[in-house]
Amino acid sequence: MGTGRATGRGGSVEGSTRVIGIFGDPVDHSLSPRMHNAAFRALGLDYVYVPFRPRQRTIVAAVEAIRALGLTGVNVTVPFKGDVIAHLDHVSETARAVGAVNTIVNRDGELLGENTDVPGFAAALASAGFRARGKRVLVIGAGGAARGVVHALLTGGAAEVVVANRTRSRATELRKVFATDRTRIRIETLEILADEGFLATRHLVVNSTSVGLHGGGFRDYAARATPKACVHFDLAYREGLTPFLKLSRAARRPLIDGRHMLLHQGAVAFRLFTGKRPPIDVMARAIGIGAKDRA
């Protein structure tokens, strides 16, 4: 892994170095600085990527600072992906549909909002050899991350998406946003995680909650009831496996951890920030993804 130290061209920060960052609270767990700085070094680009931790009361000022300080742009993570939208000059159709911006690019003082999580999720599935078309999927959680997942699954032609959430109201709101004639969207409570008959029909199970970051587990989830080829994808990542993926591994089901989505959404953001083709292999190694992990 890389050191995560800030580095411009030639490994040092110069007067010409351009700054890219990430807004989050918390943000110290993020692997994005390590990943992007490794990519800048590999291509000899005079950029540096640094973490910023604005608070809820200062996020508007933080967005304005992108313009005021001439930052090239920032990534945006929890809990600000929705908050920043109203303060941008332009927002892409995808980001608007999902209701979340995770990438802000400064174009000569105009701030453009994009959501690279949607193509990042789709690319992570594709790199694992999974095609959504015609598949039946369970998505755990109904927050902003789940919206990006559902958008990608609908675009990919999934046959059915079941959204399981602690409260039905939030999941019902998600279904209203993404209602379509092509893909059936069902709403369930978390009790569905113990329904072995239902789980036996799934091709993909996605955890979009933050349980993996804050401890806890999925004690009632009957992972062994899913088909042997059912892919388990946790959007969260941490050192070692998350509680959700520990159950998946114990059941010997194929799994994808959140670093893969981080990698692919970061690659899209890298191109938006720099205009350069991202060095995917370098970025993957920087966050601990080896060649065999990407096969």
Side-chain angles (χ1 to χ4, degrees):
M1 289 189 183
T3 64
R5 287 195 296 267
T7 175
R9 182 181 296 145
S12 64
V13 176
E14 307 293 341
S16 58
T17 300
R18 304 180 68 180
V19 178
I20 300 172
I22 180 170
F23 290 172
D25 185 17
V27 74
D28 51 356
H29 69 283
S30 176
L31 295 178
S32 290
R34 183 181 300 176
M35 178 176 69
H36 283 281
N37 284 319
F40 299 151
R41 285 194 298 270
L43 298 187
L45 299 180
D46 194 12
Y47 287 86
V48 63
Y49 189 108
V50 295
F52 297 101
R53 190 178 185 180
R55 307 296 185 177
Q56 204 73 53
R57 67 182 182 277
T58 63
I59 186 58
V60 176
V63 171
E64 286 303 315
I66 300 170
R67 218 186 319 256
L69 299 175
L71 305 185
T72 295
V74 298
N75 286 125
V76 183
T77 187
V78 176
F80 304 123
K81 292 183 181 184
D83 297 332
V84 301
I85 292 177
H87 309 289
L88 304 177
D89 299 303
H90 304 282
V91 176
S92 74
E93 289 185 13
T94 297
R96 189 75 69 184
V98 174
V101 162
N102 80 320
T103 302
I104 301 173
V105 182
N106 183 359
R107 294 278 189 259
D108 298 322
E110 289 207 337
L111 301 184
L112 316 179
E114 183 56 91
N115 188 302
T116 67
D117 285 336
V118 173
F121 175 77
L125 284 180
S127 69
F130 184 91
R131 289 174 54 86
R133 185 164 302 280
K135 300 300 196 301
R136 294 182 294 273
V137 185
L138 169 62
V139 178
I140 305 169
R147 287 187 172 214
V149 167
V150 171
H151 189 286
L153 291 171
L154 297 184
T155 302
E160 180 188 65
V161 177
V162 175
V163 179
N165 197 52
R166 185 173 54 85
T167 58
R168 293 184 66 95
S169 58
R170 194 170 190 185
T172 300
E173 181 183 341
L174 183 153
R175 180 173 61 183
K176 288 178 181 177
V177 171
F178 293 105
T180 172
D181 295 333
R182 297 186 302 278
T183 301
R184 184 186 181 201
I185 303 177
R186 257 175 62 196
I187 304 303
E188 297 287 349
T189 64
L190 293 180
E191 293 177 356
I192 201 74
L193 299 182
D195 186 332
E196 296 188 5
F198 164 76
L199 293 175
T201 67
R202 296 302 96 184
H203 299 105
L204 170 68
V205 180
V206 182
N207 174 39
S208 74
T209 72
S210 58
V211 171
L213 294 178
H214 304 296
F218 293 84
R219 286 172 298 186
D220 296 328
Y221 176 51
R224 293 184 184 277
T226 61
K228 290 184 178 179
C230 179
V231 176
H232 287 66
F233 194 149
D234 198 336
L235 304 191
Y237 63 84
R238 67 175 195 179
E239 183 114 6
L241 295 178
T242 62
F244 176 72
L245 291 185
K246 284 181 179 178
L247 286 175
S248 309
R249 172 156 291 177
R252 297 185 178 180
R253 299 305 187 257
L255 56 87
I256 306 172
D257 75 45
R259 292 173 303 157
H260 293 261
M261 181 166 168
L262 174 74
L263 170 66
H264 291 286
Q265 69 78 23
V268 178
F270 182 92
R271 189 183 289 272
L272 289 173
F273 290 141
T274 68
K276 305 292 185 182
R277 182 177 179 179
I280 291 284
D281 290 344
V282 170
M283 297 169 77
R285 287 195 300 271
I287 58 175
I289 299 175
K292 66 182 180 68
D293 298 314
R294 298 178 59 209

